[in-house]
Amino acid sequence: MAERTLPSGFDHATPKTEPYENVAPIVSSYNERIRPVLDALDNLRRLNIMKEGIQLPTIVVVGHQSSGKSSVLESLAGISLPRGQGICTRVPLVIRLKNHSVPKPELELEYNDKHVPTDEDHVSEAICDATDELAGHGNGISNTPLTLIVKKNGVPDLTLIDLPGITRVAIKGQAKDIYDQIVNIIMEYIRPQESIILNVLPATDDFPTCESITMSQSVDKTGERTLAVVTKVDLWPQGLHEKITADDVNIGLGYVCVRNRIGEESYEEAREEEAKLFNTNALLSNIDKSIVGIPALAEKLVQIQAVSISKLLPEIVKKINDKLASQLSKLEKFPRKLTSLVDVISAFMHIFGLARESLSKILLRGEFDEYPDDKQMHCTARLVEMLDQYSNDLRKGSESDAENKFLMEEIRVLEETKRIGLPNFIPRTAFLTRLGHKVKAISCMSIEFIDKLWDYLEEVVMAVLKHHSEHYHQLQTCTKLVGRKLIDKMKEKSMKYMKEVLEMEKLTDYTCSPEYTMEYNKLIANRHNLVERVNAISPQIYANASGVIKVAATSPINVGFGEIQVSHLSQYITLLPQAFDLKVRLAAYWKIVLERLIDNTAKHMQFSIFNLLNEDVGYEVLKDMVSSSGGGIERLFEETPSVSVKRDELNRSIKVLKESKEVMASIIDKISTNGN
Ligand SMILES: Nc1nc2c(ncn2[C@@H]2O[C@H](COP(=O)(O)OP(=O)(O)OP(=O)(O)O)[C@@H](O)[C@H]2O)c(=O)[nH]1
């Protein structure tokens, strides 16, 4: 619905009350225009739109217990409300006054979906009965509102909410925390910026120490939405004029002083007495006439209400539309209620289709729009990081034998694999033994990598399956079990593959890569240099003072393996060429082995992910259902109670918002038509 504003003049019209002196019905011609809007707002209130987080412009009456709140309201309405000493108002009482030309006033109470007609003589009693029903007999309070609709000739068109009065002392039949309960209710009503606070202050009280003032100031610091009504001026007229002129308590909307009905006075008598008091009392007569008496209060309230409504109406329409759109989109994403086998099967296929698509996006295609902020689910990047880490670990792990003295590992192997035969041949077993050692040294890293990879994939797969089956508890449990089984099965396959790869590397030394020969030739060219250098050391061998043979230290040399000390090799001069050859072959070949291992692991990872996505989890879930507990596929889709509660709540909220939207549309149309 397009946002419409109120026609011009709606909020500027000056209400016309009858002259005070006539003590005429408190009614304004302005009511004619505001009434449809008030009716609409009442309908919204009845629909409980506040529950949807949309606040309505409301006049809320607050004050101490027995400050005279109900008396003010009954003066405005011209009807008897429960009043007296002690707690009278025990529930929020919404009073809707409608000026109407009915010959006889019509009164009705609404609460708990009930409509109870009443009349002027019995309204007080009816309110007490309804209050007992809502808040229990005794003196307890409740936050369930009670609405009183008064259709009467001459009342101002106003909606006000009377709240329980503030008291610190719990009396018989009241909970110990009665004060907190009352404060909570009051705060709930006065906190919204849309509320106008009507603060009822007895003239007998010192305003700055009134708790109702402290409370309203806590939510309305500037006082721009607070109006003060001073009651009981007949009891304590002294200093009243000074008090309201000084305005120590920062009342933005001003003060109105009133004298309510006392004892069994009629309303007409009460108004006459009030007028007499403000005209004749020496201490009160100098107070500006525009801020004294119930008619002035009515006029002011009607005016404030109109301004507040005109300011807030477009905002309310917008809020209703926004909230409705957001609730509809939530409902769209919510799972449908499954009522037949066809529904269940189609939901089943839908869920697993979505889960597979999500996994394919994050694991293969690198699209993570479904998880923009969860880095753990940006899988392609995380997998590459894991592979890089693995590759670094392998390279670092392979350097560990550098701690041993240069060529000593090779010499030891050659000594242990020597056999009868021509010299200068490297026994193949020597090469394979060294290769086996090296492969063994990095094996645990490869196994750990597979472990880590599948732990990560399990985490991702579980998160995706959980997300897509979240509304169906049984399905989620079953999917979790099946998903875990599947991952275990695939992890086992991966482990087997890795172990086989490692065994193959140990068993056979083969490569067709020319890189190997190139690297071998490059490194073996240093052999002559090394042998010459070690030969040159021999004459430097000497015996120290205790007769131990020592070799004089020489400067390090570089024979393709960084700067190394070679003096320890002088004792192994005959094995030196073979040992160096063995070292060089292994170094050239090891490069190939590592590259092959890393490349194959990457390809295996990708292949496993493909296979994982091709696994039909849905089928496995079905199989599991048939073979184990049984109960059929329908059982999987039994909703958790919280899901159905949430769906019902969403549907209820949408219904309320749709009705509210209609209410607002009709009222804006009406205003536009009247305004034209
Ligand atoms: N003399 C005099 N008495 C008043 C005036 N206003 C209220 N009272 C009396 O003060 C007492 C309390 O008035 P209520 O209207 O019940 O006060 P309340 O704030 O609604 O009380 P709770 O709802 O219980 O918090 C009643 O006996 C009224 O008759 C007034 O202007 N002058």
Side-chain angles (χ1 to χ4, degrees):
M1 189 174 75
E3 196 179 301
R4 275 175 276 189
T5 50
L6 295 175
S8 61
F10 181 83
D11 52 341
H12 301 298
T14 313
K16 239 185 354 172
T17 30
E18 293 297 318
Y20 183 81
E21 288 73 18
N22 294 344
V23 197
I26 308 155
V27 62
S28 147
S29 66
Y30 188 63
N31 289 349
E32 299 305 323
R33 256 184 283 170
I34 195 81
R35 192 172 308 129
V37 183
L38 283 177
D39 283 338
L41 292 178
D42 264 1
N43 284 338
L44 295 190
R45 195 168 278 121
R46 206 167 286 130
L47 287 167
N48 210 355
I49 191 89
M50 283 90 89
K51 213 176 156 196
E52 307 307 317
I54 297 166
Q55 297 298 337
L56 300 175
T58 307
I59 299 174
V60 183
V61 187
V62 296
H64 287 192
Q65 205 174 85
S66 302
S67 57
K69 299 178 298 302
S70 304
S71 301
V72 169
L73 292 171
E74 64 167 26
S75 298
L76 288 167
I79 52 155
S80 298
L81 296 174
R83 81 195 149 108
Q85 293 308 316
I87 190 158
C88 292
T89 313
R90 298 194 287 127
V91 294
L93 177 64
V94 181
I95 302 182
R96 171 77 174 93
L97 304 179
K98 294 179 175 194
N99 181 35
H100 210 287
S101 55
V102 281
K104 204 165 157 254
E106 287 174 12
L107 282 78
E108 188 180 58
L109 281 175
E110 277 182 16
Y111 61 101
N112 284 351
D113 293 328
K114 270 198 234 172
H115 296 259
V116 181
T118 179
D119 57 41
E120 285 188 285
D121 295 337
H122 299 96
V123 61
S124 185
E125 202 181 315
I127 291 175
C128 288
D129 290 348
T131 302
D132 284 348
E133 212 175 310
L134 294 173
H137 297 272
N139 290 314
I141 64 164
S142 159
N143 199 4
T144 312
L146 167 66
T147 302
L148 169 66
I149 300 160
V150 179
K151 274 190 195 171
K152 191 175 170 181
N153 197 358
V155 292
D157 271 295
L158 276 175
T159 299
L160 305 106
I161 304 181
D162 189 15
L163 294 179
I166 306 161
T167 178
R168 280 198 172 262
V169 189
I171 55 166
K172 196 167 166 242
Q174 281 182 339
K176 282 208 169 59
D177 65 343
I178 188 77
Y179 170 74
D180 294 330
Q181 287 185 30
I182 294 171
V183 168
N184 287 343
I185 295 179
I186 294 177
M187 292 309 282
E188 183 188 318
Y189 277 88
I190 65 172
R191 195 174 287 118
Q193 288 303 307
E194 292 78 1
S195 295
I196 299 294
I197 307 166
L198 191 75
N199 217 321
V200 177
L201 308 166
T204 43
D205 283 9
D206 179 27
F207 298 167
T209 59
C210 279
E211 208 157 350
S212 63
I213 287 288
T214 323
M215 284 168 80
S216 68
Q217 279 176 341
S218 72
V219 292
D220 177 30
K221 292 200 168 41
T222 56
E224 63 180 350
R225 51 187 183 93
T226 305
L227 172 74
V229 178
V230 185
T231 56
K232 306 189 184 178
V233 296
D234 52 312
L235 297 180
W236 197 258
Q238 300 88 317
L240 181 61
H241 190 203
E242 292 71 23
K243 258 171 144 170
I244 59 173
T245 319
D247 186 22
D248 291 335
V249 288
N250 207 13
I251 302 288
L253 294 174
Y255 294 79
V256 179
C257 306
V258 298
R259 180 242 184 233
N260 288 314
R261 188 165 73 104
I262 299 169
E264 296 310 310
E265 280 174 356
S266 71
Y267 294 103
E268 289 71 24
E269 284 163 0
R271 293 288 68 78
E272 275 170 25
E273 287 302 321
E274 182 181 55
K276 211 188 289 170
L277 181 70
F278 284 112
N279 281 331
T280 57
N281 186 297
L283 296 167
L284 302 174
S285 58
N286 55 351
I287 301 176
D288 187 339
K289 291 288 174 289
S290 68
I291 60 161
V292 297
I294 289 293
L297 175 64
E299 179 178 323
K300 202 153 189 164
L301 287 175
V302 169
Q303 207 171 6
I304 290 170
Q305 179 181 253
V307 171
S308 163
I309 289 173
S310 66
K311 202 170 78 186
L312 295 168
L313 217 51
E315 187 62 18
I316 293 172
V317 172
K318 185 176 178 305
K319 278 185 184 164
I320 291 174
N321 290 344
D322 290 353
K323 182 80 195 251
L324 179 59
S326 119
Q327 297 292 71
L328 282 171
S329 105
K330 265 192 209 160
L331 187 68
E332 219 168 81
K333 288 184 198 135
F334 225 72
R336 276 184 305 127
K337 200 168 193 140
L338 309 174
T339 49
S340 67
L341 188 60
V342 176
D343 271 1
V344 171
I345 290 172
S346 98
F348 195 85
M349 287 162 72
H350 183 66
I351 286 173
F352 286 103
L354 286 180
R356 180 178 299 179
E357 175 58 11
S358 295
L359 285 171
S360 161
K361 271 165 106 177
I362 54 174
L363 285 170
L364 289 180
R365 309 209 294 268
E367 295 165 15
F368 45 82
D369 51 295
E370 289 176 36
Y371 304 91
D373 303 319
D374 188 351
K375 292 215 160 176
Q376 196 62 359
M377 301 299 266
H378 303 179
C379 304
T380 48
R382 299 296 81 82
L383 287 169
V384 170
E385 281 168 12
M386 281 167 85
L387 192 66
D388 286 348
Q389 182 65 45
Y390 171 56
S391 157
N392 285 340
D393 291 349
L394 282 188
R395 288 178 211 283
K396 271 194 209 137
S398 312
E399 286 159 15
S400 60
D401 60 59
E403 288 157 20
N404 296 317
K405 281 186 173 174
F406 187 62
L407 286 187
M408 288 314 293
E409 281 292 328
E410 285 74 14
I411 288 168
R412 260 193 290 276
V413 170
L414 284 170
E415 277 184 338
E416 291 309 304
T417 53
K418 64 189 170 203
R419 61 198 167 87
I420 310 252
L422 285 175
N424 298 339
F425 277 103
I426 301 177
R428 186 150 180 270
T429 27
F431 183 81
L432 287 180
T433 307
R434 281 296 297 133
L435 178 65
H437 276 145
K438 279 182 89 65
V439 173
K440 198 171 165 208
I442 55 136
S443 290
C444 57
M445 288 175 208
S446 302
I447 300 297
E448 266 169 28
F449 173 75
I450 295 291
D451 229 12
K452 211 170 124 188
L453 169 72
W454 282 101
D455 283 354
Y456 173 67
L457 289 175
E458 177 171 342
E459 209 177 288
V460 169
V461 170
M462 287 306 166
V464 170
L465 290 177
K466 186 175 172 205
H467 168 65
H468 287 286
S469 57
E470 68 184 337
H471 299 298
Y472 305 101
H473 178 67
Q474 297 280 2
L475 179 69
Q476 198 170 58
T477 315
C478 189
T479 306
K480 212 153 89 182
L481 283 174
V482 169
R484 202 150 275 153
K485 262 194 224 166
L486 185 75
I487 297 278
D488 282 351
K489 192 177 86 185
M490 300 206 64
K491 182 173 174 176
E492 209 173 291
K493 268 192 201 167
S494 261
M495 280 292 183
K496 193 167 169 241
Y497 163 82
M498 186 52 88
K499 283 178 185 163
E500 276 176 7
V501 164
L502 293 166
E503 280 310 308
M504 280 191 278
E505 291 297 354
K506 278 193 223 164
L507 196 71
T508 317
D509 48 338
Y510 174 76
T511 178
C512 65
S513 167
E515 291 268 327
Y516 166 71
T517 319
M518 275 157 59
E519 183 71 9
Y520 172 77
N521 289 340
K522 196 177 95 191
L523 290 171
I524 204 70
N526 295 309
R527 183 166 57 179
H528 181 68
N529 188 11
L530 173 72
V531 173
E532 277 213 328
R533 184 66 177 271
V534 176
N535 270 332
I537 299 167
S538 303
Q540 296 172 36
I541 295 175
Y542 64 94
N544 67 6
S546 25
V548 178
I549 301 290
K550 283 277 178 188
V551 177
T554 56
S555 54
I557 65 164
N558 190 338
V559 286
F561 296 92
E563 295 286 309
I564 44 151
Q565 283 290 347
V566 292
S567 43
H568 62 283
L569 296 171
S570 57
Q571 301 169 60
Y572 308 101
I573 200 77
T574 48
L575 277 178
L576 192 59
Q578 271 175 289
F580 189 70
D581 192 337
L582 180 55
K583 171 107 188 157
V584 164
R585 273 176 203 281
L586 202 60
Y589 185 60
W590 190 243
K591 259 191 182 180
I592 307 278
V593 171
L594 287 188
E595 272 166 21
R596 195 160 52 201
L597 209 54
I598 294 161
D599 287 355
N600 280 338
T601 305
K603 283 191 283 176
H604 173 73
M605 264 167 78
Q606 203 71 351
F607 182 62
S608 303
I609 291 169
F610 264 112
N611 287 342
L612 178 68
L613 293 175
N614 282 332
E615 286 286 342
D616 196 340
V617 183
Y619 172 74
E620 294 297 327
V621 170
L622 275 182
K623 219 167 67 179
D624 197 72
M625 279 311 294
V626 174
S627 64
S628 59
S629 49
I633 182 174
E634 292 101 321
R635 199 176 65 85
L636 291 177
F637 283 88
E638 278 164 14
E639 286 182 337
T640 45
S642 74
V643 171
S644 48
V645 166
K646 270 189 213 155
R647 188 195 297 102
D648 291 350
E649 176 54 27
L650 212 49
N651 277 320
R652 187 207 55 77
S653 160
I654 288 169
K655 187 169 173 273
V656 166
L657 288 161
K658 276 187 178 162
E659 283 177 30
S660 304
K661 188 176 167 169
E662 275 168 31
V663 167
M664 292 319 279
S666 72
I667 185 62
I668 298 280
D669 277 345
K670 229 180 250 177
I671 294 170
S672 307
T673 320
N674 290 345
N676 289 337

